[in-house]
Amino acid sequence: MTQINKSQNFVTDRLDTNFLKWAIAITVALGAILEVIDTSIVNVALPDIQANLGATITEIGWVVTGYAIANVIVIPLTAWLGEQFGQKRYFIFSLVGFTISSVLCGFAPTLPFLIISRILQGLCGGGLLAKAQAILFQTFPPEEQGTAQGVFGMGVIVGPAIGPTLGGYLTDSVGWRWIFFVNIPKGILAVIMCWLFLPTDSKATQHSSRKVDWLGISLLAIAVGSLQTFLEEGERDDWFNSSFIFTLGIVAVLVLGLFIWRELTAKRPAVDLKVLRHRSLAAGSLYSAILGMGLYGTLFAVPIFAQNVLHFTAMQTGMLLFPGALAAGIMMPILGKVTSKIDSRLLIASGAIITSLVMFQLAKINSNTGTEALFYPLLWRGVGTVLMFLPLSLATIGSLPKSDIPAGSGFYNLTRQLGGSIGIAILSTLLARREAFHRAILSSDVSLYNSATNQRLDALTGAFQGRGMDAHTAHQQALAVISQTLDLQSSILSFEDIFKIVGIVFICTLPLLLLLGKGNKKASVSGVD
């Protein structure tokens, strides 16, 4: 009888442990989804916010830029903040702050108030993503990491695609303020679940008296803030032709050097850069930046093409991206089951090759491209992204000692975020430059001395005169049509160029995978790979 009771207690404890682990996984994933969706949900509502608050195009851009800057400043500090205040306390504080700042954003009466609220939202939300991933690595044993990270990855991959769809629907249906109010019930639910399921912080962290590295934090804020502003605003201000952007670039480089020196020499640094002694983390973080460029860069380019060339609405653009996000969401838990059995480097290489092929397929776009032609490439893009994202997380962080996981996760997520910003900055600049280049080439063939041009001009002029226009007005209208055709064709050719470039970059960076671990081994005990 005693033996039976022991067996029953063992089974009950095992069930309780499994339930708690997955409750923690769902809890932190919900927090991460809140942060990820908010990086893209605002973009589609910017025109409405601009009109409602009476802002210029330059001013309204700071609604996005302020959030992004605050985000990247906090991400590398998440390990230190978790140590200083306790992991559970810090995560709940971040969720509460994020929810309250969402309310402030929704009620914002002026643009400055909205920008300040978005900065507060970014500061609170920045810790959710990196800390959520670190908690999962600390909660699950190595053999279950694939499935756990699959649950987490669903939010990270699907979130950026859901954001524009949800944002477009809410903006069109009930107004732009609801893109912030929608966070309230999700935030409250996440706080309750964290309070119930996250393990209580140890007394050592609850009463931490560790000296604060204020100099390191200040240097980090200046360096990363300057770099992010440089990337966000550079194209808009014509890069180094602007004294403001030039100054930001110089400040970012100089202060970043000082920050690295400070953190490597300080006894108790705010950001532990020595964690990069792990070869897998250093190589994985570098490849994470490449992944960020591909993930966020294409998510930036495809909507612009759909709206500017195909004249899709925000809602239609969101629905165009949704099947790929759905495919990624389905693939995540499936891949999580098999990652422990297959070399992560093979999976990442497969994802990179698929993504490259998708980019080359997207490079075939033209003015007649429709939803059907984009459906399968974007679907396969979702599959390729999952094949890279999940195994890369496991290969980069999975082999770290538990004590180094919070710092490693923060650095890994920072590189992906900065990689996305760098990718968007590069692609937006290339789009503008290549469009001007192609227009100049096409314009050289469109001349009044060209017989084909004159025939086309005469045909258009005659058509407009047939609608009742006088000869002069009809001629001017015909010239405008030809100019618009040149703009359209040069725009399409510039999109073809950047899709090809992204595809080539993924192929060229494949050798970096040789520096990664297999991703399915147990955590290193010594702390050095």
Side-chain angles (χ1 to χ4, degrees), residues 139-194:
T139 302
F140 285 82
E143 62 272 14
E144 294 180 0
Q145 283 296 341
T147 308
Q149 292 298 321
V151 172
F152 169 78
M154 285 175 65
V156 177
I157 298 295
V158 177
I162 290 178
T165 310
L166 181 61
Y169 172 77
L170 291 172
T171 303
D172 293 343
S173 302
V174 289
W176 66 265
R177 296 183 185 276
W178 281 90
I179 65 175
F180 300 111
F181 291 147
V182 75
N183 290 330
I184 299 173
K186 292 184 292 184
I188 292 173
L189 176 62
V191 169
I192 293 172
M193 291 178 70
C194 284

Side-chain angles (χ1 to χ4, degrees), residues 327-340:
I330 294 171
M331 275 290 295
M332 272 291 183
I334 296 173
L335 188 63
K337 294 284 187 181
V338 301
T339 46
S340 60

Side-chain angles (χ1 to χ4, degrees), residues 199-221:
T200 304
D201 297 318
S202 65
K203 291 183 179 180
T205 57
Q206 285 183 6
H207 302 287
S208 175
S209 58
R210 180 177 170 180
K211 187 178 178 181
V212 178
D213 179 21
W214 290 115
L215 178 58
I217 293 172
S218 301
L219 291 172
L220 173 71

